[in-house]
Amino acid sequence: DQQVKQNSPSLSVQEGRISILNCDYTNSMFDYFLWYKKYPAEGPTFLISISSIKDKNEDGRFTVFLNKSAKHLSLHIVPSQPGDSAVYFCAASRDAYNNNDMRFGAGTRLTVKP
Amino acid sequence: NAGVTQTPKFQVLKTGQSMTLQCAQDMNHNSMYWYRQDPGMGLRLIYYSASEGTTDKGEVPNGYNVSRLNKREFSLRLESAAPSQTSVYFCASSEHRANNEKLFFGSGTQLSVL
């Protein structure tokens, strides 16, 4: 059973515009959420995280929003750049101290067009 | 500064053959993990090692064995490969029990079992 779902396999945006990537989860025990970014032929790299005590976390052009009641989080990239073109994975776990029960979404492929 | 190194990058096996995927990290991390990624699915945890000398099953352990050789190295063995094990395999490491845990991934091994 997929406990973390990214329902959009792909997204295409114009350079300079906002990219919004969405993620839904079903397990109410999840308490810590992360986004990873993956370029072809490379492993995923950590991008940004948020714990359930917050509803927003910002790091430069990247902002993650968490809506616990809706079991939904989103990643906003503003402004989008061609170098942001990658696959983005949403992940969730029950606490911020270990990764053993982390679940990943299937990923969304973002293409930013110049 | 290599981070997490996996070998080989590509491998083709025949059904029933065995092989070992190697992984090493140079970040002095306590925990190491093996994931597999299949099309349309998120990364799924096969086995992990929370610390040197311990290993535990993850979400999809059947058909695999692991060895935590020392703090740096964590290998994954397929004793009798099956076509269902065709996948991309990622090794990862993390500090373990640090707040805001995140995973550091290797670049992956593309395995095909014919």
Side-chain angles (χ1 to χ4, degrees):
Chain A
D1 66 332
Q2 280 213 280
Q3 297 182 46
V4 178
K5 297 178 184 178
Q6 294 177 255
N7 292 320
S8 298
S10 63
L11 174 68
S12 181
V13 299
Q14 208 65 35
E15 181 179 5
R17 306 293 290 267
I18 185 171
S19 295
I20 300 177
L21 292 88
N22 293 304
C23 177
D24 298 293
Y25 61 95
T26 58
N27 189 338
S28 58
M29 299 297 290
F30 286 146
D31 216 39
Y32 181 55
F33 306 88
L34 309 92
W35 286 93
Y36 286 84
K37 175 179 178 179
K38 184 185 179 305
Y39 291 118
E42 295 183 10
T45 55
F46 170 77
L47 187 58
I48 193 168
S49 64
I50 187 167
S51 80
S52 61
I53 61 172
K54 295 184 175 183
D55 55 17
K56 176 182 171 181
N57 189 26
E58 200 170 343
D59 183 1
R61 296 185 297 112
F62 302 91
T63 303
V64 56
F65 295 92
L66 175 63
N67 182 333
K68 277 207 82 174
S69 60
K71 296 191 181 70
H72 177 82
L73 63 154
S74 60
L75 175 69
H76 291 210
I77 307 173
V78 184
S80 302
Q81 299 174 354
D84 296 328
S85 297
V87 177
Y88 290 79
F89 292 100
C90 171
S93 68
R94 283 181 290 179
D95 69 68
Y97 291 89
N98 74 78
N99 302 293
N100 306 338
D101 66 346
M102 190 171 292
R103 294 291 186 265
F104 286 81
T108 296
R109 182 179 301 278
L110 173 66
T111 302
V112 180
K113 297 181 178 179
Chain B
N1 191 4
V4 179
T5 304
Q6 285 181 240
T7 56
K9 291 193 181 303
F10 301 95
Q11 185 72 50
V12 178
L13 293 177
K14 294 182 179 177
T15 298
Q17 286 186 316
S18 62
M19 79 160 295
T20 300
L21 281 65
Q22 307 285 354
C23 176
Q25 52 92 10
D26 61 4
M27 295 174 283
N28 201 35
H29 283 167
N30 291 309
S31 298
M32 297 186 74
Y33 311 80
W34 278 104
Y35 285 88
R36 61 178 287 174
Q37 185 194 5
D38 300 294
M41 305 191 72
L43 288 89
R44 292 182 293 167
L45 183 62
I46 304 170
Y47 269 94
Y48 66 96
S49 171
S51 60
E52 187 178 354
T54 70
T55 60
D56 284 287
K57 294 178 181 179
E59 196 181 349
V60 288
N62 291 345
Y64 305 95
N65 286 302
V66 290
S67 295
R68 184 72 183 266
L69 305 169
N70 47 56
K71 191 171 185 180
R72 290 188 63 248
E73 298 173 289
F74 188 40
S75 62
L76 178 72
R77 182 158 178 84
L78 287 72
E79 289 291 351
S80 179
S84 61
Q85 294 178 304
T86 293
S87 188
V88 180
Y89 291 84
F90 290 100
C91 178
S93 69
S94 68
E95 289 183 21
H96 186 57
R97 296 295 166 182
N99 196 11
N100 297 323
E101 273 278 276
K102 55 182 180 280
L103 294 163
F104 294 81
F105 286 90
S107 58
T109 297
Q110 181 128 20
L111 175 66
S112 295
V113 183
L114 307 177

